[in-house]
Amino acid sequence: MIALRVRQDAPPVEPIVAVRRSAPTHGGPMRRLTMEKVMAQTLAADEVLRGPHVLEYPYRRSLGPVLGRFFGGLQEHRLLGIRMRSGKVLVPPQEYDPQTGEALEEFVDVGPGGEIVSWSWVSKPRPKQPLDRPFAFALIRLDGADTTLLHAVDAGEESKLSVGARVTPRWAEEPGGGILDIACFELEG
Amino acid sequence: MSDLPNALKSIVTPVRLEYDHSAGAAATGFLRGLTQKKILGARTGPGEPVLVPPRGADPRTSELAAELVEVSDKGTVVTYSIVRVPSDNIPFELPYVCATVLLDGANLGFFHVLQNCALDEVRIGMRVQAHWAPDDQLTENVSSIRYFEPIDEPDVPFEQIEEYA
């Protein structure tokens, strides 16, 4: 693995297409290459340019009437499900009954507490994940719901988690629109 | 339920991928060339199509394209598109034109931005030239070519560039 060294004298990145391209950097100290060497393509491995390349799409997704209510509810610290024809409650809510295809419209308040149905420990969180310290991704069945919601649980350490453990939402300080208006769930008590 | 919350119309769900990208030998040659205001293409041998920017191999035959060739920084617009949608990483004022430019000496269109050109004047066959960054700002980055702009040369007839349009 060649260590990445970012040129300090490079001008600000000025990408020209829909992807971000940073200025390529060098594996080692800057060398002056002659055009003869470039043209002859006799580059040593550490003379091949490399650098960070970030691809990012800021998608804005349309929610529709049902998920729109769900995400609107989060901003009021409310959790909404929707009742299926069978009487069961879907969380997050869906527009159509997955069993019969009928349009659904009976919203139901659920939670805010719930229980962990399944979980997976994340020991090294990645930059865009909900928490910057080790946490669990968990399937959470909120009280009153018949399906599970995927979210992060801030439990501190893995040994505190178990199937059936009670959790409750920690709301975001500033709602921004989205599932992270629930900052995460935390263990009750 | 009568007291439903207000519905949000949309949310932002970004997708982000971070790569440690190796340019490879062919593109490295091309990027090095830019620091000297040279546009380099590659071909498998004399008389063969010149690919710009260079690929390591001819995509039709997979044959190694090891011979670098300098092409002109002048070329002909072979297709274009007017961009009216903003993006926070695009430093050009909207609307602007993206064009595929067939550089003189090349056999593959080169994608870049067109400036100093009214939207209703851009056309297939129009002659353009690279506008380079100032010498002290030339880097191994395609933005060393700031943009292309029209030049005062007669249009190339469509028949001559048809296969690239």
Side-chain angles (χ1 to χ4, degrees):
Chain A
M1 184 70 189
I2 300 166
L4 193 64
R5 208 182 76 104
V6 179
R7 275 185 61 175
Q8 298 303 313
D9 58 338
V13 177
E14 293 191 24
I16 57 134
V17 289
V19 294
R20 256 173 223 170
R21 287 172 197 272
S22 306
T25 54
H26 305 270
M30 273 291 284
R31 297 189 197 195
R32 289 210 70 80
L33 285 183
T34 62
M35 280 315 283
E36 289 69 30
K37 190 164 184 190
V38 168
M39 297 299 276
Q41 295 211 59
T42 52
L43 300 178
D46 66 348
E47 290 168 338
V48 171
L49 295 169
R50 66 188 302 145
H53 178 89
V54 177
L55 192 57
E56 186 171 28
Y57 298 99
Y59 289 119
R60 176 170 284 279
R61 77 162 271 187
S62 167
L63 293 170
V66 170
L67 279 176
R69 296 279 187 203
F70 174 75
F71 284 103
L74 296 187
Q75 304 204 330
E76 299 174 12
H77 296 188
R78 278 177 69 182
L79 290 155
L80 290 180
I82 205 160
R83 196 179 302 282
M84 292 164 63
R85 174 93 171 173
S86 68
K88 292 195 170 185
V89 175
L90 292 172
V91 181
Q94 296 182 17
E95 284 182 47
Y96 296 95
D97 191 314
Q99 290 173 337
T100 67
E102 288 168 277
L104 297 175
E105 49 196 27
E106 190 189 344
F107 284 96
V108 184
D109 279 296
V110 295
E115 64 175 33
I116 292 177
V117 172
S118 176
W119 52 274
S120 180
W121 189 250
V122 180
S123 51
K124 288 181 186 167
R126 298 174 66 83
K128 294 282 177 177
Q129 288 184 331
L131 292 166
D132 59 4
R133 53 192 174 276
F135 68 96
F137 273 123
L139 291 174
I140 297 161
R141 184 164 51 231
L142 296 168
D143 297 339
D146 292 286
T147 59
T148 55
L149 175 77
L150 177 70
H151 216 301
V153 176
D154 187 13
E157 52 191 87
E158 191 177 2
S159 61
K160 292 188 176 165
L161 289 167
S162 60
V163 170
R166 296 283 306 167
V167 291
T168 190
R170 180 191 303 159
W171 299 100
E173 286 175 21
E174 293 278 334
I179 195 64
L180 290 180
D181 285 350
I182 306 172
C184 62
F185 281 80
E186 55 197 10
L187 294 167
E188 276 184 3
Chain B
M1 198 187 292
S2 54
D3 61 332
L4 283 175
N6 290 329
L8 291 191
K9 286 201 170 0
S10 63
I11 56 172
V12 177
T13 57
V15 170
R16 181 182 168 93
L17 299 166
E18 296 182 12
Y19 295 96
D20 177 17
H21 176 74
S22 170
T28 292
F30 168 76
L31 293 166
R32 298 275 195 194
L34 294 179
T35 65
Q36 302 183 30
K37 291 193 184 178
K38 290 178 189 293
I39 303 178
L40 301 180
R43 64 183 177 191
T44 57
E48 293 301 315
V50 176
L51 311 168
V52 185
R55 309 294 180 209
D58 186 320
R60 301 166 309 164
T61 62
S62 301
E63 205 180 332
L64 190 66
E67 191 180 322
L68 288 181
V69 182
E70 185 180 350
V71 300
S72 174
D73 70 350
K74 291 183 182 178
T76 305
V77 172
V78 291
T79 186
Y80 65 90
S81 181
I82 296 171
V83 180
R84 301 177 188 277
V85 181
S87 178
D88 61 5
N89 61 335
I90 304 279
F92 297 100
E93 234 176 84
L94 289 176
Y96 64 91
V97 181
C98 271
T100 300
V101 177
L102 184 66
L103 296 167
D104 298 346
N107 298 90
L108 188 66
F110 184 79
F111 186 73
H112 215 301
V113 170
L114 223 54
Q115 295 277 277
N116 302 330
C117 175
L119 295 185
D120 57 359
E121 282 176 17
V122 60
R123 60 204 178 268
I124 290 172
M126 187 167 82
R127 295 286 292 160
V128 295
Q129 185 169 17
H131 181 100
W132 293 88
D135 285 355
D136 60 352
Q137 291 173 31
L138 293 168
T139 62
E140 292 100 344
N141 189 302
V142 76
S143 66
S144 289
I145 300 172
R146 290 287 194 251
Y147 49 81
F148 281 79
E149 59 192 341
I151 50 174
D152 189 19
E153 289 186 7
D155 280 16
V156 173
F158 183 71
E159 298 71 44
Q160 290 179 27
I161 51 172
E162 192 170 11
E163 74 175 288
Y164 303 103

